[in-house]
């Protein structure tokens, strides 16, 4: 697409969680930011953007809004609209709107773990060996369980909000878990299961912004996926995040660039996928060598809350240039500060939670703020819970320990019935 350079951009961000709260806040601080809208948004996006009630998985409805509001830049936050092809529809119907996010073909890297494994095999990208199982080849899984080394990992093929990956420690647990998953534990998303070797090492997330040809790497982050302190309890969408990642070396990141990022982008091009968006590499370092645990096709939540405050420059302009296919000269200087995010969650999370509980935010420590990704403003102006991850407390400081202490205090300042958070994020 050929889009003229505009001084001020009208922006629509799709999504309504902490990630979108962080994006809208960061965009608002950019010179290129004009009018902002968010759909559906949340209590935090409402501070910087007009919230719009909209089915964000309906590409035609999103296209209508883009036309009505003369949106220059559409930022697609979550995976579901990407997998549903919203980017394709808006590109087709709204040539004046630049969209950051892959089409449904590129989104398969996240929406099908089996597809992603096969893609990595085709392009020689390091990842754990895996077997794909459905109800009709369950015998293959039983053979595997008879000879594998424990633990192993069972992953639902489709989208499960970060909860579809289960580590099993013996044959009995594996067979029971597999039966539950294939029987629809995660709906259709787990009718196909990827069984893979368990890799031991330190995890990190690397975020790449690309126009398909050029790319920029944003600051790396680590998220804390388990519900409880000490990395115990069930998997969640993420209970906190830190950036930079302690111990992550420039040498490791160069290996990621050469062995993973460049081959992935080249593989997409070779397969005819025009990928304009974010590529999120969920990585593990095994003896200093990077392996891909998963691809996602969007920014992470809560990682965005620590990545964006460490990303200098006009982030919005760089993202827009990527969406327009002209990011050759984009540069976003990383800051030397550290950022820590702590999720304040509702009782029961990651299971079902009660919404509509009043939320009060007390005094916050220096250089800390709260993103109310899982809260909405009620009719009388009161803040009410609206999701499991109610708030993301963020702090930026010269070092991780200071940022962690401030983020923890900021999380404690968010009060609602049943509120809780991990106390070991960044510690
Ligand atoms: N924090 C993990 C994710 O965004 O998928």
């Amino acid at each position: 697409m050929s889009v003229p350079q505009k001084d001020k951009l009208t922006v629509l961000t799709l999504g309504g969680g902490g990630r979108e709260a962080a994006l809208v806040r960061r965009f608002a601080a950019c010179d290129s930011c004009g009018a902002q809208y968010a759909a559906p948004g949340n209590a935090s996006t409402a501070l910087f953007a007009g919230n719009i009630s909209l089915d964000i998985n309906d590409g035609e409805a999103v296209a209508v809004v883009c036309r009505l509001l003369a949106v220059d830049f559409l930022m697609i936050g979550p995976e579901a609209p990407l997998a549903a092809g919203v980017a394709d529809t808006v590109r087709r119907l709204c040539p004046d709107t630049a969209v950051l996010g892959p089409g449904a073909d590129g989104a398969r890297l996240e929406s099908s773990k089996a597809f992603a494994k096969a893609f990595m095999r085709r392009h020689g990208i390091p990842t754990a060996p895996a077997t794909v199982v459905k109800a009709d080849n369950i015998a293959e899984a039983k053979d595997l369980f008879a000879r594998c080394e424990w633990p192993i990992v069972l992953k639902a093929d489709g989208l499960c909000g970060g909860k579809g990956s289960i580590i099993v420690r013996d044959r009995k647990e594996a067979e029971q878990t597999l039966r539950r998953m294939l029987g629809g534990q995660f709906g259709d998303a787990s009718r196909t299961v990827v069984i893979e070797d368990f890799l031991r090492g330190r995890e990190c997330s690397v975020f790449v912004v690309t126009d398909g040809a050029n790319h920029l790497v944003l600051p790396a982050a680590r998220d804390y996926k388990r519900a409880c302190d000490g990395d115990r309890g069930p998997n969640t969408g993420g209970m906190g995040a830190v950036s930079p990642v302690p111990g992550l070396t420039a040498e490791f990141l160069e290996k990621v660039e050469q062995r993973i990022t460049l081959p992935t982008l080249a593989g997409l091009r070779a397969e005819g996928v025009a990928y304009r968006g974010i590529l999120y590499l969920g990585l593990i370092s095994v003896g200093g060598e990077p392996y891909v645990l998963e691809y996602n096709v969007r920014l992470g939540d809560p990682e965005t809350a620590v990545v964006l405050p460490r990303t200098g420059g006009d982030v919005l302009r760089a993202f827009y240039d990527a969406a327009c296919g002209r990011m050759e000269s984009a540069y976003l200087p990383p800051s030397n500060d550290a950022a820590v995010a702590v999720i304040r969650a509702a009782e029961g999370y990651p299971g079902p939670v009660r919404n509509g509980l009043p939320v009060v935010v007390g005094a916050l420590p220096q250089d800390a703020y709260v993103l109310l990704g899982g809260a909405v403003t009620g009719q009388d102006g009161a803040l009410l819970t609206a999701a499991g991850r109610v708030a993301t407390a963020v702090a930026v400081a010269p070092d991780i320990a200071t940022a962690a202490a401030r983020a923890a205090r900021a999380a404690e300042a968010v009060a609602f019935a049943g509120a809780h958070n991990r106390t070991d994020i960044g510690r």
Side-chain angles (χ1 to χ4, degrees):
M1 76 188 286
S2 141
V3 182
Q5 189 81 346
K6 286 192 170 183
D7 281 352
K8 295 285 182 192
L9 300 169
T10 298
V11 182
L12 170 60
T13 299
L14 298 188
R19 167 185 44 225
E20 289 74 29
L23 279 164
V24 169
R25 185 180 200 277
R26 185 67 186 82
F27 289 161
C30 294
D31 288 345
S32 60
C33 191
Q36 277 213 84
Y37 303 93
N42 49 48
S44 276
T45 61
L47 300 176
F48 304 99
N51 283 350
I52 299 170
S53 175
L54 173 67
D55 176 359
I56 64 168
N57 297 319
D58 178 343
E60 296 195 359
V62 175
V64 167
V65 171
C66 287
R67 273 203 303 271
L68 281 175
L69 298 174
V71 169
D72 299 305
F73 176 60
L74 177 68
M75 175 82 216
I76 305 184
E79 59 275 24
L82 293 166
V86 168
D88 301 304
T89 306
V90 176
R91 285 186 179 115
R92 183 164 46 82
L93 298 179
C94 303
D96 293 337
T97 301
V99 183
L100 194 68
D105 53 357
R108 287 182 76 197
L109 286 180
E110 176 165 1
S111 63
S112 169
K113 301 272 177 263
F115 174 86
K117 278 284 174 191
F119 176 90
M120 285 186 267
R121 255 199 309 274
R122 284 197 292 281
H123 298 287
I125 294 163
T127 187
T131 304
V132 177
V133 176
K134 295 185 190 213
D136 58 9
N137 67 334
I138 198 160
E140 231 180 285
K142 290 194 171 160
D143 279 355
L144 180 75
F145 296 156
R147 61 189 158 77
C148 69
E149 269 184 43
W150 303 99
I152 55 170
V153 188
L154 271 51
K155 289 184 175 172
D157 179 53
L159 299 178
C160 297
K163 297 166 202 160
S165 195
I166 301 176
I167 298 168
V168 290
R169 295 181 190 282
D170 58 39
R171 191 167 169 172
K172 185 168 164 217
E173 192 187 355
E175 289 184 355
Q176 285 172 348
T177 306
L178 181 62
R179 217 171 302 118
R180 268 202 311 275
M181 290 175 85
L182 292 175
Q185 179 181 4
F186 298 102
D188 284 346
S190 63
R191 305 265 181 216
T192 299
V193 173
V194 175
I195 304 176
E196 67 177 42
D197 289 4
F198 177 82
L199 298 180
R200 265 173 235 284
R202 291 181 76 89
E203 292 183 26
C204 67
S205 308
V206 168
F207 302 92
V208 177
V209 191
T210 182
D211 62 5
N214 309 282
H215 71 281
L216 268 179
V217 181
L218 301 178
R222 180 193 166 203
D223 79 336
Y224 293 67
K225 293 198 173 74
R226 299 298 195 94
C228 308
D229 281 4
D231 287 330
R232 288 175 297 107
N235 261 337
T236 70
M239 292 297 286
V242 298
S243 180
V245 181
L248 199 68
T249 62
E251 186 193 356
F252 179 82
L253 288 172
E254 183 55 24
K255 288 179 188 171
V256 172
E257 177 77 4
Q258 297 304 328
R259 298 179 195 171
I260 296 172
T261 306
L262 290 171
T264 300
L265 297 177
L268 288 166
R269 283 194 296 273
E271 296 192 12
V273 178
Y275 195 105
R276 289 184 183 174
I278 309 282
L279 184 64
Y280 163 157
L281 307 172
L283 303 173
I284 188 161
S285 167
V286 181
E289 307 301 323
Y291 289 79
V292 177
L293 290 175
E294 64 176 4
Y295 287 118
N296 294 315
V297 297
R298 52 174 171 82
L299 286 164
D301 190 354
E303 294 96 318
T304 307
V306 294
V307 169
L308 291 183
R310 299 196 58 239
T311 305
D314 194 324
V315 173
L316 174 58
R317 176 69 65 191
F319 282 17
Y320 174 70
D321 284 345
C324 295
R326 58 171 184 218
M327 67 178 298
E328 335 29 24
S329 55
Y331 174 64
L332 295 171
S335 94
N336 290 325
D337 281 339
V340 174
V342 176
I343 295 287
R344 190 79 156 151
E347 190 170 4
Y349 180 78
V353 300
R354 205 176 126 205
N355 292 334
L357 301 169
V359 183
V360 175
V361 181
L364 299 174
Q366 179 197 342
D367 293 329
Y369 52 90
V370 167
L371 302 168
L372 291 162
V376 291
T377 313
Q379 281 180 346
D380 57 358
L383 283 175
L384 301 171
T385 63
R389 293 189 290 177
V390 174
T392 310
V394 186
V396 180
D399 59 86
I400 287 190
T402 309
R406 287 181 189 162
R409 285 213 309 283
E412 298 290 332
V414 182
F416 54 92
H420 64 95
N421 56 270
R422 278 184 64 161
T423 62
D424 61 347
I425 308 295
R427 311 257 186 181

